[in-house]
Amino acid sequence: MIVGLDHIAIAVPDLDKAIERFMNDFGLTFDHKEDVESAKTSTAFFPLETTSIELVHPLNGEGPIQKYIEKKGGGMHHLCFRSDNIEEDIARLKTKGYEFLSEAPYLGAHNCMVIFIHPKSCDGVLIELNQPMDH
Ligand code: CO
């Protein structure tokens, strides 16, 4: 079951500059920075009352975010729904014809199992599902 909007991600060409903007210009609380090897991204999180803003940047200049930034310069990248049973949600969505970017969920940012739904299954929007490992 989907239980909440976990975060919205923005692809940024300069991670430190964007962290400065969200922290100092917008006054959000910077939680942590994390390199996610499995997704080839560097991430930075700003938790809000019920969700987070996630900044995503290429890790070592490669991976899907690098391609996105080369193509678009930066921008709204994906939104993420929190699941309380990711395997069940994937199975349910697969029976409805949804396509995923990976065969199975994998360990993503801040100790969550994650999987991405193909944008062509959601009118061009990239949607991530995540479930914390300790739940
Ligand atoms: Co994300």
Side-chain angles (χ1 to χ4, degrees), residues 81-125:
F81 287 124
R82 170 64 56 90
S83 171
D84 62 0
N85 188 334
I86 196 165
E87 296 287 355
E88 195 180 272
D89 282 320
I90 292 165
R92 182 173 52 81
L93 292 169
K94 276 185 177 170
T95 64
K96 290 173 176 279
Y98 283 81
E99 289 181 33
F100 291 82
L101 295 187
S102 59
E103 279 302 309
Y106 56 91
L107 189 61
H110 46 78
N111 210 34
C112 287
M113 292 307 288
V114 307
I115 195 164
F116 287 87
I117 302 171
H118 198 295
K120 75 182 178 191
S121 295
C122 302
D123 296 319
V125 178

Side-chain angles (χ1 to χ4, degrees), residues 6-9 43 45 54 56 78-80 109 114 116 128 130:
D6 190 86
H7 62 262
I8 291 169
T43 65
F45 282 91
E54 176 188 25
V56 290
H78 65 270
L79 58 87
C80 175
V114 307
F116 287 87
E128 175 185 8
N130 79 2

Side-chain angles (χ1 to χ4, degrees), residues 1-112:
M1 195 174 75
I2 302 297
V3 294
L5 178 63
D6 190 86
H7 62 262
I8 291 169
I10 302 164
V12 298
D14 185 331
L15 187 57
D16 290 328
K17 198 173 156 192
I19 289 170
E20 284 292 307
R21 179 185 308 121
F22 278 84
M23 208 164 51
N24 299 330
D25 301 346
F26 300 160
L28 300 194
T29 303
F30 174 50
D31 188 67
H32 72 285
K33 214 166 137 175
E34 182 181 342
D35 288 346
V36 188
E37 294 282 352
S38 61
K40 295 191 190 311
T41 58
S42 293
T43 65
F45 282 91
F46 300 84
L48 294 169
E49 192 77 12
T50 55
T51 188
S52 292
I53 299 292
E54 176 188 25
L55 303 179
V56 290
H57 180 78
L59 179 61
N60 305 322
E62 57 177 7
I65 304 300
Q66 179 64 33
K67 287 187 194 128
Y68 181 91
I69 284 174
E70 279 168 11
K71 215 166 125 184
K72 307 194 176 184
M76 280 285 312
H77 187 257
H78 65 270
L79 58 87
C80 175
F81 287 124
R82 170 64 56 90
S83 171
D84 62 0
N85 188 334
I86 196 165
E87 296 287 355
E88 195 180 272
D89 282 320
I90 292 165
R92 182 173 52 81
L93 292 169
K94 276 185 177 170
T95 64
K96 290 173 176 279
Y98 283 81
E99 289 181 33
F100 291 82
L101 295 187
S102 59
E103 279 302 309
Y106 56 91
L107 189 61
H110 46 78
N111 210 34
C112 287

